[in-house]
Amino acid sequence: MVEDTFAFIIHPIDPKTDVSRKWPLVGKILTEGQINFFSRFFPPVYISEITGVRSVATGKELRGWFIACPFTPKTMLSLPVETVYRKIVACGHMAERLGARLLGLGAYTSVVGDAGETIARRLDMPVTNGDAYTVYMALEAVREAARRMGIDMNEASAAVVGATGVIGRVCARILADEVPELILVGRRTDALDAVHEECEGHRAQVSAGLDLRGIGSADLILTVTSATTAVIQPEHLKPGAVVCDVARPRDVSVRVAELRDDVLVIEGGIVEVPGPVDFGFNFGFPPGKSFACMAETMALALEGRYEDYSVGKHISLEQVYEIGDIARRHGFRLSGFRSFERAVSDEQIERVRDRASAARRTGGH
Ligand SMILES: NC(=O)c1ccc[n+]([C@@H]2O[C@H](COP(=O)([O-])OP(=O)(O)OC[C@H]3O[C@@H](n4cnc5c(N)ncnc54)[C@H](OP(=O)(O)O)[C@@H]3O)[C@@H](O)[C@H]2O)c1
């Protein structure tokens, strides 16, 4: 019987911290600039074998591998796209040699160029960028966070930042069916107009703009830009707001954590993986949890769907709902909330609610 296998490409996001995860001394000695520079000449790096991902529906178990593309987000944006493609394809060749039957593109490797189309064409193995399940799980997280903050989606104002991106656009379209008011934020008017048009004629009253101050009235904010530095600052948020940050690197400034104890910031797209999973590598999550894009790759392999799935700059609503069903059946679940690398407790959410009520009473923020 042919084994069910996959590989997933990761890459350093915070250069010093992430390089230290693999080579503590190198991460300690080199500066961020030096890491960015030297990473250009590095080959793909074998990181670890992944075992124990097991379907609750079929009992089938997967074997997988993490492979690192050595480039940081800044490097990927500054190099010619062809150079980046070549490095990702080299990672794909390593995955093929290891025996992987499906390749997942993590973080920026799914953002560069045409979001996986060229990579899929150049490799013999199928590819997915994980965006469909990332959308599905980000929206699940928003709904659950709203519930726990006492925000009724039927009365809420929601905003999508990065609404013209692959993930942002579909999130916006789905939210347009679920809330009465939707605010879209982007940085190009023409692209924003197109998303605005797609979202109109559904439940929400839709507005769109280039100014981030537009999110100041939103109860629920889903942010998913590919900016390399934080875009959402403390002054952008109203008391009691929920921000689901799907972006890697993060869109929400750490200043929000420091200065705003009356808002709830959660990381979007964190998933509980079924089975006694061992990733063989600490990528910064507690045991048994993964990013949604990793989970999409695993769910497809468990389903035996060895085909290009989320590839390119467009994903459909059908894909989002289909991968949601596939993943749920195999036992993938929304994980507990995390915020700036820490788990969020019920008590913390209670505290945010109290502070938000107090801030509203005193007119703070
Ligand atoms: N958590 C997960 O599991 C997961 C999975 C996949 C991806 N991601 C992350 O999700 C993010 C978006 O991915 P994507 O595939 O949707 O990317 P994308 O299609 O390239 O879209 C990015 C969006 O961000 C906007 N943007 C870029 N730089 C900006 C800046 N400096 N300020 C404001 N807006 C900016 C872009 O605007 P323009 O349209 O004007 O260019 C676009 O709307 C990335 O950070 C990626 O790493 C996370």
Side-chain angles (χ1 to χ4, degrees):
M1 202 175 68
V2 188
E3 198 181 13
D4 286 294
T5 55
F6 71 99
F8 192 83
I9 304 182
I10 56 176
H11 67 84
I13 288 183
D14 174 347
K16 278 184 82 68
T17 309
D18 291 340
V19 167
S20 300
R21 293 183 201 279
K22 177 76 180 167
W23 299 295
L25 203 59
V26 177
K28 200 168 158 194
I29 293 169
L30 296 185
T31 64
E32 190 170 322
Q34 286 168 329
I35 293 173
N36 275 327
F37 178 77
F38 287 123
S39 74
R40 294 174 184 214
F41 310 103
F42 240 75
V45 181
Y46 173 88
I47 296 288
S48 64
E49 182 171 332
I50 302 163
T51 56
V53 181
R54 187 187 298 150
S55 166
V56 297
T58 63
K60 198 152 83 172
E61 205 161 304
L62 293 180
R63 197 149 75 101
W65 297 272
F66 276 137
I67 294 166
C69 169
F71 295 158
T72 62
K74 279 200 177 114
T75 313
M76 284 195 233
L77 290 184
S78 62
L79 287 174
V81 72
E82 183 54 38
T83 310
V84 183
Y85 284 156
R86 277 206 296 270
K87 191 72 80 180
I88 299 172
V89 167
C91 293
H93 287 147
M94 180 183 268
E96 284 171 338
R97 284 195 299 276
L98 287 164
R101 297 173 64 195
L102 177 66
L103 181 67
L105 305 177
Y108 258 60
T109 65
S110 75
V111 172
V112 281
D114 54 18
E117 264 175 19
T118 302
I119 308 298
R121 236 186 354 264
R122 291 186 186 177
L123 288 171
D124 290 332
M125 70 195 308
V127 168
T128 190
N129 61 32
D131 284 350
Y133 195 52
T134 299
V135 168
Y136 186 89
M137 272 316 199
L139 291 166
E140 287 277 286
V142 167
R143 293 182 197 111
E144 177 62 10
R147 192 186 65 74
R148 291 176 62 184
M149 283 287 286
I151 299 169
D152 181 354
M153 298 280 289
N154 289 312
E155 295 174 5
S157 161
V160 178
V161 181
T164 56
V166 179
I167 298 170
R169 196 163 96 201
V170 191
C171 287
R173 171 60 195 85
I174 295 175
L175 281 171
D177 281 330
E178 300 186 17
V179 292
E181 192 189 344
L182 181 63
I183 301 156
L184 309 174
V185 182
R187 52 176 193 169
R188 285 178 300 127
T189 308
D190 51 342
L192 207 49
D193 285 347
V195 184
H196 192 169
E197 210 175 300
E198 275 171 30
C199 291
E200 262 179 347
H202 305 281
R203 178 164 184 208
Q205 189 73 36
V206 188
S207 61
L210 306 181
D211 190 343
L212 260 170
R213 283 174 298 188
I215 68 174
S217 61
D219 305 301
L220 305 169
I221 297 150
L222 194 156
T223 185
V224 63
T225 81
S226 55
T228 53
T229 51
V231 291
I232 297 187
Q233 302 296 338
E235 56 275 17
H236 290 133
L237 305 168
K238 77 173 189 183
V242 167
V243 190
C244 178
D245 191 348
V246 185
R248 281 290 167 281
R250 282 194 193 92
D251 277 348
V252 181
S253 162
V254 285
R255 288 179 59 239
V256 174
E258 290 158 8
L259 300 176
R260 294 296 302 272
D261 55 7
D262 60 342
V263 301
L264 176 65
V265 180
I266 55 163
E267 294 177 13
I270 304 183
V271 180
E272 201 93 46
V273 177
V277 54
D278 180 358
F279 288 111
F281 178 67
N282 173 12
F283 53 92
F285 278 9
K289 295 182 197 298
S290 83
F291 285 106
C293 47
M294 292 174 185
E296 174 168 318
T297 315
M298 296 183 249
L300 289 170
L302 284 174
E303 186 74 0
R305 293 279 294 264
Y306 294 108
E307 61 194 68
D308 293 339
Y309 197 77
S310 305
V311 163
K313 289 279 180 193
H314 181 81
I315 43 173
S316 66
L317 297 189
E318 290 73 29
Q319 269 176 304
V320 171
Y321 296 128
E322 183 186 54
I323 191 68
D325 285 346
I326 291 172
R328 188 179 326 104
R329 202 165 65 78
H330 291 292
F332 294 87
R333 299 269 173 278
L334 180 68
S335 154
F337 295 140
R338 288 177 73 74
S339 187
F340 297 98
E341 251 124 73
R342 291 215 178 87
V344 178
S345 64
D346 289 344
E347 294 70 37
Q348 256 170 293
I349 294 182
E350 251 340 284
R351 247 189 337 265
V352 172
R353 290 181 69 163
D354 288 347
R355 299 275 152 82
S357 304
R360 281 188 209 106
R361 272 198 306 276
T362 58
H365 283 110

